[in-house]
Amino acid sequence: MKQLLLVVLALILSAPLMAAPKAKPKALAQETLQFINDMETNLQITIRNGDKHDFYNYIEKPTLAMADKWPATGTKGYVDYARCQFAVQDFRIYAQDQFKAKGMLPKNTPTTKEYLRNKHECQISLKL
């Protein structure tokens, strides 16, 4: 019982440390945009040559890891680059839909439009 209490206490005390973003806002936004661009290529390769396990390992899992690098929405300093955070979250959904559609997801779907809009606005926020 005492060990369980210590574990819970350690988790509570370490939560702010785990939640703190490790990268500066602009650097994280740039890393995110580069990640998305690279993952679009990986997605097409996975659609052509992979299965659902490959999709999970090479697309879904890394995308979740990138999304986890972002602090909570609205965190001071990161607000200017929120569209980059949204873009990586939207990419995950877009990638799932594209994989299910075997790469033939129309450009006019709400998922595609939202992803591309946030990606574009991320580029604008970085002044690219």
Side-chain angles (χ1 to χ4, degrees), residues 66-123:
M66 176 54 74
D68 285 345
K69 289 183 177 185
W70 282 89
T73 304
T75 299
K76 185 178 178 182
Y78 290 81
V79 174
D80 293 340
Y81 303 103
R83 293 300 179 169
C84 299
Q85 179 180 11
F86 300 153
V88 77
Q89 294 167 349
D90 291 341
F91 174 77
R92 181 173 166 255
I93 298 164
Y94 167 79
Q96 290 170 350
D97 290 354
Q98 270 292 21
F99 188 75
K100 289 175 190 170
K102 304 203 182 313
M104 300 304 215
L105 187 67
K107 290 187 180 198
N108 63 351
T109 65
T111 300
T112 303
K113 286 180 180 179
E114 188 69 14
Y115 163 63
L116 293 175
R117 182 176 63 84
N118 280 322
K119 180 182 173 188
H120 179 71
E121 290 184 17
C122 173
Q123 291 168 329

Side-chain angles (χ1 to χ4, degrees), residues 21-92:
K22 298 189 180 18
K24 295 190 185 260
K26 187 171 185 176
L28 182 56
Q30 290 170 327
E31 179 185 355
T32 299
L33 185 59
Q34 183 61 51
F35 172 83
I36 290 169
N37 289 331
D38 293 343
M39 291 306 285
E40 285 177 350
T41 302
N42 292 349
L43 176 60
Q44 294 309 313
I45 293 167
T46 304
I47 288 169
R48 279 194 306 271
N49 303 322
D51 60 17
K52 65 181 179 179
H53 300 292
D54 292 330
F55 176 80
Y56 177 76
N57 288 323
Y58 301 120
I59 306 297
E60 182 86 8
K61 203 168 160 184
T63 303
L64 288 171
M66 176 54 74
D68 285 345
K69 289 183 177 185
W70 282 89
T73 304
T75 299
K76 185 178 178 182
Y78 290 81
V79 174
D80 293 340
Y81 303 103
R83 293 300 179 169
C84 299
Q85 179 180 11
F86 300 153
V88 77
Q89 294 167 349
D90 291 341
F91 174 77
R92 181 173 166 255

